[in-house]
Amino acid sequence: MKGLTLMRELSKVYDPREVEERIYSQWEDAKCFAGVRDKNKKPFTIVMPPPNVTGQLHMGHAMDCTLQDILIRFKRMQGYSALWLPGTDHAGIATQIKVEEMLRVNEGLSRHDLGREKFLERVWEWKNTYGDRIVSQQKKMGASCDWDRARFTMDEGCSKAVRDVFVSLYEKGLIYRGSRIINWCPNCTTALSDAEVEYKEKPGNLWHLKYPIKGEDNRYVVVATSRPETMLGDSGVAVNPNDPRYQDLIGKTCILPLVKREIPIVADDYVDVEFGTGCVKMTPAHDPNDFEVGLRHNLESIRILDDNGIVNELGGVYAGLDRYEARRKIVSDLEAQGLLENVVEHAHNVGTCYRCGTDVEPIISAQWFVKMEPLAKEALDVVKNGETKFVPDRFSKTYLNWMENVHDWCISRQLWWGHQIPAWHCNDCGALTVDREDPCCCVACQSKNITRDPDVLDTWFSSALWPFSTLGYPDNTEDLNYFYPNDVLVTGYDIIFFWVARMIFSGCEHTGKTPFHTVFIHGLVRDDKGRKMSKSLGNGIDPLEMAEQYGADALRFNLVSGNSPGNDLRFYTERCEAMRNFANKVWNASRFLMMNLTITDNALPSDLALEDKWILSKLNRLIPEITDNMEHYELGVSAGKIYDFIWDTYCDWYIEMTKTRLQSEDPVAKENTQRVLCYVLTELLKLLHPFMPFITEEIWQALPHEGDFLMMQSWPVPNDALNYPEEEAAMELVIDAIKAIRSRRAEMNVPPSKKARLLIETTEKDAFTLGTPMLLRLAYGSEVEFIETAPNSLNGLVTVTTYVCKIYMPLAELVDLAKEKARIEKEIAKQNAELQKLSKKLDNPGFLAKAPENVIASEREKCEKATALIQKLNEQLDSL
């Protein structure tokens, strides 16, 4: 659309449901969201944290989506070649569980009934049917992503990147397969990385068990354990070599109760002399510390639980029992044999699965691991030297602490849905073949008798590559060269370990660059009581319902206003209503302008009134403030400033100031007023657009404008020619006076229709002379008179004071003295009666003895308020 576009009429009432879908379709059809490589522009890139394909939009997603969209719209308007790249995550465990449950309920089948290939076909069918549900929900929030570039962590390109990275790390010796103690979820039946374990304090016990010393009657070592069922896998007892109590036991053996296995007593510095009895049972297959001690002393690793948390055949008579059933039976049997010395209540941190909440079981298992120590160094350096900054900075300490103490990452998962590990085991020589292409024979012996490893990679392995795999890596693409590194990652503090850290070391290792310059951390969205939203509490709020009821703009503004980086946000539904009221305020102000608009362009006039210079100068100062706040990710501060300027400065003051001129018989004054009103509104719509994109676009398209869409307009910049500091200061003096007069009239219950003369004593006569029309209209003056000194007598005058003036108003022109005096005396009598009643109650010992504290406090507060009101009423009476 070339040249000027003329205005059209706005409907009487703003209907978000009608506007939002229509406007979004216009943007999509015009390819407004496209990220285009342009050598004449600087790129600005955000990759969306990919939501799970199983996901429904929740309030956390809505917050994440809103913050990213605000930033990308802002940068797009600033002239950057802005790319917000969307996508979804295959969500290994969550998706597999969902499809397995669907098969079980609908068809009575398990994945094993179908087999791997057929089951994966079903998962892909499910993904293709339901996987884009969250995308349509993001669009309802106004997300201006380049949807044509949408990626999926298991699409062809991402899968190629995953395989290339796995093979590359394997070739460097940074991926290995080994038996280690890993975190195992018996419910999800898969390994978990350390970051996927959530620790919860739970009540429990410490059972003190007696292990008989072989060959010494009635002598025992006493060990304490919180997991007595694991004793079935004990292969030793450890004591500290410097503990004098047990020097003679080192090298001897004891008899494992119930199992009757002879196990050695070893000396190891790991044992804390001060803790418990100083004797520690060693279960190398079920405890990471015991595993390390076992390696040092060549203790046998005996795994006694299967993948479902059931005691296996090595558990003797307890085989087939669930781990907790086995615990109860073992404790009972030990007690019956006199080998349970003591039971002590003991609260302790229990590791639970982040996905399903099941207690995690440490077990020994053959798994695939990434060596983290070599990868951590550069990932630490880029944060320490400022190449990647956290906002707020305090989260860099969280990141650094985790990275400095990181353990090897267990990356294999016992699932079918996901990136299957590209490793083949030779059934003849046992060698491993790892390759970027599927091999036909063993790399060592050329045997064709090879079998692919059945495990898949941790979902976070592919997510860790997201900033560059989505741009074409491992190929050297134009997109990768232009849009990478990303500029900012927007995410919650709860996945710094899961995802942020892994992206940083992956980017450094595979691209030689940190994946993003800034990590913008936001908090969690909590309910109005500060609780985390959850199904169990039933306190979740559906953002789509809020958007449907109040409009997406109101929801977005609610989520960002008053919010600060890194801090949790309490969500109040009432604030959505308040933000809808703000949207209506903007709409009604725009309609008022439209109804008085005769101009067909929005150029500023050369002849400006005092109030015009005031608003233009204030706007000119607002623009760099908002821009600076946005650049520093202070989005909540920006939102608050825009809200205040529109509601207070533009709507409540400037529009009111201009009404007389809009109705003037002077065509030049009328046109000039329209031009300033239109110019300021247009600039404010630009500033507000990233926060409330739908309503601003709809209004802007109705105003005189050039171009097709507001979202493609240039971000406002300050104009030195519009700085009017003296006029701005003068107008503020007039506004202060108007506020003071209005406040005094309100105290006296004077209606706006009652006008009075204003006698003004001031050293700033020029300012008040220019502001006389505003004083007459907005301070309800009948006339304005300037006086050099105060009147000889103040009898019959009401005085209002600001720091630069005194204003005197004849009392008789404000109120009917007799009627006002009678009204105040009646109110004083009423309040005295109320005070007497309250005092009588508070003087009653019976009431004070029986009434609850909060009731007594409430009555005293009422008493204090009545006393204060009577004093104020008496002062008003005296002034009459």
Side-chain angles (χ1 to χ4, degrees):
M1 195 178 299
K2 301 290 184 184
L4 196 71
T5 302
L6 300 184
M7 58 193 180
R8 57 180 172 77
E9 190 175 348
L10 293 174
S11 62
K12 186 174 182 181
V13 177
Y14 177 58
D15 181 3
R17 284 172 293 191
E18 187 277 324
V19 170
E20 289 171 1
E21 189 172 345
R22 171 169 49 78
I23 289 290
Y24 198 89
S25 295
Q26 289 177 12
W27 288 331
E28 280 201 294
D29 292 345
K31 302 291 184 185
C32 291
F33 307 154
V36 180
R37 296 185 305 276
D38 185 340
K39 64 181 180 181
N40 296 315
K41 290 184 177 183
K42 286 181 67 176
F44 187 88
T45 317
I46 300 176
V47 290
M48 175 188 289
N52 292 348
V53 287
T54 57
Q56 290 261 52
L57 194 80
H58 57 62
M59 205 56 84
H61 288 133
M63 161 79 87
D64 216 44
C65 185
T66 297
L67 296 178
Q68 291 174 82
D69 194 51
I70 289 170
L71 291 173
I72 209 73
R73 286 179 184 273
F74 167 56
K75 289 297 179 179
R76 191 183 286 122
M77 293 176 77
Q78 278 193 313
Y80 287 82
S81 183
L83 169 63
W84 183 15
L85 201 154
T88 49
D89 191 287
H90 65 278
I93 295 176
T95 306
Q96 179 160 318
I97 288 173
K98 189 170 279 286
V99 176
E100 284 194 76
E101 179 66 9
M102 185 181 69
L103 281 172
R104 186 186 64 79
V105 172
N106 296 342
E107 302 177 46
L109 297 173
S110 73
R111 62 182 164 119
H112 300 287
D113 294 327
L114 291 178
R116 185 168 192 146
E117 189 175 335
K118 291 291 183 186
F119 175 74
L120 290 178
E121 286 177 9
R122 292 294 192 93
V123 183
W124 277 107
E125 286 174 12
W126 185 92
K127 184 266 174 189
N128 292 333
T129 303
Y130 301 106
D132 287 337
R133 177 174 47 189
I134 198 164
V135 171
S136 63
Q137 295 169 339
Q138 289 169 324
K139 290 181 177 182
K140 288 185 183 299
M141 288 294 298
S144 58
C145 304
D146 187 345
W147 297 110
D148 291 338
R149 291 175 177 266
R151 301 299 300 271
F152 177 54
T153 50
M154 283 180 62
D155 66 25
E156 184 179 348
C158 288
S159 296
K160 179 181 179 181
V162 167
R163 185 151 178 174
D164 183 86
V165 164
F166 183 94
V167 175
S168 174
L169 291 173
Y170 181 80
E171 289 172 346
K172 294 173 184 176
L174 295 174
I175 280 182
Y176 65 93
R177 192 168 189 269
S179 290
R180 294 284 185 275
I181 291 288
I182 50 96
N183 307 296
W184 185 268
C185 175
N187 182 55
C188 297
T189 60
T190 188
L192 302 172
S193 71
D194 292 340
E196 292 170 316
V197 178
E198 294 179 348
Y199 288 91
K200 298 176 182 176
E201 187 172 285
K202 295 186 178 184
N205 294 307
L206 273 179
W207 286 270
H208 291 250
L209 315 180
K210 297 160 67 177
Y211 288 13
I213 305 297
K214 184 183 179 184
E216 299 188 30
D217 291 343
N218 297 318
R219 190 178 182 195
Y220 307 90
V221 288
V222 178
V223 298
T225 180
S226 60
R227 299 158 65 213
E229 67 279 7
T230 62
M231 68 165 290
L232 300 175
D234 284 3
S235 57
V237 171
V239 297
N240 192 290
N242 301 312
D243 192 337
R245 294 173 293 177
Y246 305 116
Q247 289 295 310
D248 68 316
L249 291 181
I250 297 170
K252 293 184 178 181
T253 60
C254 58
I255 306 301
L256 184 63
L258 308 180
V259 181
K260 305 300 182 187
R261 184 164 58 243
E262 187 176 339
I263 58 177
I265 300 171
V266 300
D268 197 281
D269 290 328
Y270 159 71
V271 180
D272 184 352
V273 176
E274 304 295 327
F275 185 77
T277 65
C279 299
V280 181
K281 62 188 281 301
M282 291 289 112
T283 320
H286 291 280
D287 182 278
N289 295 312
D290 295 2
F291 178 80
E292 296 300 328
V293 174
L295 289 178
R296 289 195 288 272
H297 297 279
N298 200 27
L299 300 178
E300 186 181 1
S301 288
I302 306 167
R303 179 175 166 180
I304 52 90
L305 293 175
D306 70 9
D307 290 351
N308 298 296
I310 305 297
V311 178
N312 62 24
E313 69 281 357
L314 297 179
V317 297
Y318 305 101
L321 295 180
D322 171 79
R323 53 184 168 160
Y324 297 119
E325 289 178 64
R327 177 181 296 180
R328 288 188 288 271
K329 183 77 167 60
I330 286 168
V331 169
S332 175
D333 290 349
L334 287 168
E335 188 173 22
Q337 294 182 24
L339 296 175
L340 179 63
E341 181 174 270
N342 193 15
V343 182
V344 180
E345 289 187 359
H346 175 67
H348 56 131
N349 282 332
V350 177
T352 61
C353 174
Y354 83 107
R355 175 65 58 188
C356 67
T358 301
D359 288 358
V360 165
E361 194 65 46
I363 61 169
I364 191 167
S365 177
Q367 300 287 341
W368 290 88
F369 296 86
V370 173
K371 284 184 183 176
M372 285 305 305
E373 188 178 349
L375 295 171
K377 184 182 182 305
E378 193 173 356
L380 285 165
D381 289 344
V382 294
V383 173
K384 288 177 179 177
N385 67 25
E387 285 182 62
T388 293
K389 292 183 171 65
F390 280 77
V391 178
D393 180 62
R394 68 179 185 270
F395 287 103
S396 64
K397 296 179 180 65
T398 306
Y399 167 86
L400 293 171
N401 182 59
W402 187 79
M403 193 62 82
E404 284 166 352
N405 297 283
V406 71
H407 298 112
D408 285 358
W409 174 17
C410 176
I411 55 170
S412 46
R413 297 291 180 270
Q414 289 61 52
L415 303 169
W416 288 355
W417 173 244
H419 295 279
Q420 191 171 354
I421 290 173
W424 282 257
H425 301 263
C426 181
N427 300 314
D428 292 333
C429 75
L432 269 173
T433 301
V434 174
D435 204 343
R436 289 172 176 80
E437 303 294 334
D438 289 2
C440 59
C441 63
C442 171
V443 69
C445 71
Q446 282 70 54
S447 168
K448 294 190 176 181
N449 187 15
I450 55 175
T451 305
R452 188 168 187 176
D453 193 301
D455 290 353
V456 300
L457 289 165
D458 178 7
T459 298
W460 297 102
F461 190 93
S462 52
S463 300
L465 318 182
W466 191 245
F468 49 92
S469 65
T470 51
L471 293 170
Y473 182 91
D475 297 329
N476 187 28
T477 65
E478 291 183 359
D479 276 351
L480 188 64
N481 289 323
Y482 184 75
F483 288 114
Y484 185 84
N486 305 164
D487 287 272
V488 61
L489 172 76
V490 180
T491 190
Y493 59 68
D494 53 333
I495 56 172
I496 290 175
F497 311 140
F498 279 118
W499 193 40
V500 179
R502 289 166 177 168
M503 280 191 288
I504 293 177
F505 73 67
S506 297
C508 291
E509 174 66 21
H510 303 297
T511 71
K513 300 175 184 176
T514 185
F516 24 72
H517 304 304
T518 303
V519 182
F520 176 27
I521 299 288
H522 62 75
L524 304 179
V525 184
R526 298 183 179 274
D527 71 5
D528 55 2
K529 296 179 179 64
R531 301 173 302 175
K532 192 173 180 178
M533 293 186 183
S534 68
K535 289 181 181 177
S536 58
L537 288 175
N539 63 341
I541 299 171
D542 185 348
L544 295 176
E545 286 183 11
M546 293 293 101
E548 179 72 16
Q549 186 173 355
Y550 300 106
D553 284 335
L555 173 60
R556 288 167 61 112
F557 213 77
N558 185 3
L559 287 170
V560 73
S561 60
N563 186 26
S564 58
N567 292 332
D568 290 350
L569 173 78
R570 290 195 183 195
F571 188 88
Y572 297 92
T573 303
E574 312 88 82
R575 282 177 57 81
C576 271
E577 188 173 353
M579 297 314 164
R580 180 184 62 187
N581 294 343
F582 174 59
N584 288 338
K585 182 92 169 179
V586 176
W587 186 261
N588 291 335
S590 304
R591 284 195 74 247
F592 169 79
L593 173 59
M594 299 291 294
M595 288 187 292
N596 289 279
L597 213 57
T598 57
I599 59 171
T600 56
D601 66 84
N602 53 9
L604 278 174
S606 56
D607 184 16
L608 298 170
L610 174 66
E611 61 269 29
D612 299 335
K613 292 179 178 179
W614 168 75
I615 189 97
L616 290 169
S617 189
K618 284 180 76 72
L619 175 64
N620 211 39
R621 284 194 300 107
L622 177 73
I623 289 168
E625 283 184 27
I626 296 293
T627 305
D628 185 65
N629 292 140
M630 297 284 275
E631 297 283 11
H632 288 89
Y633 302 97
E634 296 164 343
L635 307 188
V637 176
S638 298
K641 289 180 179 178
I642 297 167
Y643 178 99
D644 290 341
F645 195 98
I646 291 175
W647 190 292
D648 187 52
T649 306
Y650 186 73
C651 294
D652 286 358
W653 282 104
Y654 185 64
I655 286 179
E656 291 302 316
M657 291 173 183
T658 60
K659 283 182 176 176
T660 302
R661 289 161 62 204
L662 282 174
Q663 294 153 13
S664 167
E665 296 298 321
D666 181 350
V668 175
K670 183 183 288 190
E671 181 179 314
N672 287 353
T673 306
Q674 292 178 31
R675 289 187 179 283
V676 179
L677 276 165
C678 191
Y679 173 86
V680 174
L681 177 60
T682 300
E683 296 300 287
L684 290 174
L685 291 174
K686 292 176 185 177
L687 294 174
L688 182 60
H689 175 76
F691 301 89
M692 302 182 96
F694 292 111
I695 191 171
T696 52
E697 184 73 74
E698 178 75 353
I699 293 169
W700 182 85
Q701 290 189 15
L703 292 170
H705 62 269
E706 289 184 10
D708 295 336
F709 296 101
L710 171 60
M711 70 167 286
M712 306 305 288
Q713 295 299 298
S714 295
W715 183 255
V717 292
N719 181 350
D720 289 343
L722 298 181
N723 282 333
Y724 300 104
E726 293 178 5
E727 290 87 342
E728 184 183 342
M731 191 70 240
E732 292 294 342
L733 298 179
V734 175
I735 288 172
D736 286 345
I738 293 170
K739 287 178 178 176
I741 294 168
R742 284 177 167 180
S743 176
R744 191 71 178 93
R745 289 172 62 102
E747 288 173 8
M748 299 172 64
N749 296 306
V750 181
S753 58
K754 198 91 170 173
K755 299 188 181 295
R757 279 184 302 137
L758 305 177
L759 308 176
I760 301 177
E761 178 193 356
T762 181
T763 57
E764 301 288 342
K765 184 177 178 182
D766 289 348
F768 284 94
T769 300
L770 289 170
T772 294
M774 271 68 75
L775 289 164
L776 293 173
R777 173 171 167 72
L778 301 177
Y780 317 115
S782 57
E783 62 178 293
V784 173
E785 180 183 335
F786 294 97
I787 56 178
E788 296 294 328
T789 57
N792 293 328
S793 171
L794 298 181
N795 286 339
L797 293 174
V798 175
T799 305
V800 173
T801 304
T802 73
Y803 76 99
V804 296
C805 73
K806 285 186 177 179
I807 301 170
Y808 307 96
M809 295 177 287
L811 187 61
E813 294 182 20
L814 295 173
V815 294
D816 183 317
L817 295 179
K819 282 185 180 179
E820 182 63 10
K821 186 178 178 183
R823 183 192 71 77
I824 293 173
E825 287 173 340
K826 183 178 178 182
E827 183 64 22
I828 289 172
K830 177 184 171 186
Q831 291 301 322
N832 275 324
E834 178 66 18
L835 182 60
Q836 190 174 4
K837 179 179 165 186
L838 289 166
S839 298
K840 188 175 180 182
K841 185 184 285 189
L842 289 168
D843 289 340
N844 183 347
F847 171 75
L848 295 175
K850 294 177 183 177
E853 278 297 321
N854 64 320
V855 173
I856 296 170
S858 175
E859 294 301 295
R860 283 185 175 139
E861 187 180 354
K862 290 178 186 176
C863 194
E864 289 168 5
K865 285 182 177 178
T867 302
L869 181 56
I870 290 166
Q871 181 181 343
K872 195 169 185 180
L873 288 167
N874 278 316
E875 288 171 359
Q876 287 184 15
L877 195 61
D878 290 343
S879 72
L880 293 178

